[in-house]
């Protein structure tokens, strides 16, 4: 009996993968807003009722694709962080990790522009992402938080200035997702996270066309500036912190 169950489970995994692969082709051809379960079923030679046993609605299929995309870019970021150990000093290593992660995210986006567009492009009309997407969507952000946290503990940070009006928000955000960091650095870290994806989105969606030619060099310089704004480079303006700050 267990052999039969195992065969059924393998078949289900294979069919689920085939459905998602075909859906990704439709994303590339027609965009997320026109994704159709019936069209996917037709291309796979399935009746619609059979496909509904795997994904009861278009929104459930979209959610699966979104989670897969977030997990894929998150895995790329995490792998780049693990592999990066260059630098003669702690400061250099933290900067190398930050740069490696940012470049891995950009490389993934350039290799998977339609999946990137699904998670960072225009919202899909009529679709609301469920709670199940939150964890996968946070993976890149948590890698960046970990790098800044390690720098704070081992080498200190040059804290950026914090407007008094932001103090309450900074303390709340730090408590929510970066409790080991000084609240003053958290708004800059959130801004760096959003600007990282802004840089990538401008490149993916063509806003840099006829403006920036040396795209990789431009990106690396911008990523270095983002590192400075979160205090990773040490020195600069701001109050330096150590592990006890």
């Amino acid at each position: 009996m267990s052999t039969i169950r195992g065969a059924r489970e393998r078949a289900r995994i294979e069919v689920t993968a085939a459905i998602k692969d075909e859906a990704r082709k439709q994303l590339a051809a027609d965009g997320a807003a026109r994704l159709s379960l019936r069209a996917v079923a037709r291309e796979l030679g399935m009746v619609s009722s059979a496909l509904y046993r795997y994904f009861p609605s278009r929104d459930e299929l979209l959610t699966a694709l979104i989670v897969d995309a977030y997990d894929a870019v998150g895995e790329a970021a995490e792998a780049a962080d693990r592999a990066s150990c260059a630098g003669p000093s702690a400061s250099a290593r933290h900067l190398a990790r930050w740069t490696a992660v940012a470049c891995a995210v950009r490389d993934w986006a350039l290799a998977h522009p339609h999946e990137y567009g699904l998670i960072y492009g225009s919202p899909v009309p009529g679709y609301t992402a469920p709670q199940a997407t939150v964890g996968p969507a946070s993976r890149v952000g948590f890698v960046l938080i970990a790098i800044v946290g390690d720098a704070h503990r081992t080498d200190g940070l040059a804290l950026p200035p914090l407007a008094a009006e932001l103090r309450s928000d900074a303390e709340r955000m730090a408590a929510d997702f970066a409790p080991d960091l000084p609240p003053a650095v958290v708004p800059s870290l959130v801004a760096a996270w959003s600007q990282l994806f802004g840089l990538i989105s401008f490149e993916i969606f063509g806003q840099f066309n006829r403006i920036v030619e040396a795209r990789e060099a431009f990106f690396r310089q911008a990523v270095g500036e983002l590192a400075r704004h979160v205090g990773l480079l040490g020195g600069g303006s701001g109050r330096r912190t150590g592990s006890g700050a």
Side-chain angles (χ1 to χ4, degrees):
M1 183 67 79
S2 61
T3 301
I4 295 174
R5 283 199 299 270
R8 287 174 177 170
E9 183 59 27
R10 287 193 298 273
R12 183 172 185 84
I13 291 172
E14 290 173 1
V15 174
T16 299
I19 291 170
K20 290 195 288 187
D21 285 346
E22 178 56 37
R24 291 186 189 99
K25 293 177 184 177
Q26 290 196 18
L27 287 180
D30 302 317
R34 298 184 64 184
L35 181 64
S36 162
L37 289 181
R38 291 183 180 276
V40 170
R42 182 173 60 250
E43 290 299 320
L44 293 176
M46 300 173 63
V47 295
S48 298
S49 58
L51 189 146
Y52 291 144
R53 291 199 292 269
Y54 295 86
F55 296 100
S57 68
R58 180 210 67 162
D59 284 5
E60 292 199 27
L61 178 54
L62 269 177
T63 295
L65 298 177
I66 288 169
V67 168
D68 282 355
Y70 277 132
D71 278 337
V73 69
E75 287 168 7
E78 291 159 3
D81 187 29
R82 289 192 300 270
S84 178
C85 58
S89 65
S91 293
R93 287 192 294 275
H94 297 138
L95 178 59
R97 289 170 62 194
W98 176 274
T99 303
V101 167
C103 289
V105 173
R106 174 178 177 264
D107 288 346
W108 182 88
L110 291 173
H112 304 87
H114 302 293
E115 291 169 67
Y116 180 88
L118 177 63
I119 53 179
Y120 291 112
S122 300
V124 180
Y127 173 80
T128 300
Q131 187 68 25
T133 62
V134 174
S138 304
R139 291 176 66 169
V140 172
F142 280 124
V143 175
L144 298 177
I145 289 171
I147 295 169
V148 176
D150 287 347
H152 171 54
R153 286 187 293 274
T154 62
D155 201 43
L157 297 171
L159 287 185
L162 179 66
E165 298 85 351
L166 277 179
R167 171 61 60 178
S168 177
D169 264 2
E171 291 175 348
R172 174 186 53 78
M173 289 189 291
D176 284 347
F177 52 80
D180 297 328
L181 287 175
V185 79
V186 176
S188 292
L189 185 53
V190 172
W193 170 69
S194 64
Q195 289 170 64
L196 169 63
F197 287 103
L199 286 165
I200 294 170
S201 292
F202 262 51
E203 183 170 5
I204 292 293
F205 302 135
Q207 280 89 347
F208 284 152
N209 291 350
R210 296 186 297 278
I211 298 174
V212 178
E213 297 298 332
R215 303 277 173 85
E216 183 171 355
F218 176 85
F219 181 79
R220 284 180 173 271
Q221 177 164 315
V223 164
E225 287 298 303
L226 296 181
R228 183 176 66 82
H229 285 305
V230 299
L232 272 188
L233 300 185
S237 63
R239 178 170 60 85
R240 189 174 178 84
T241 74
S243 59

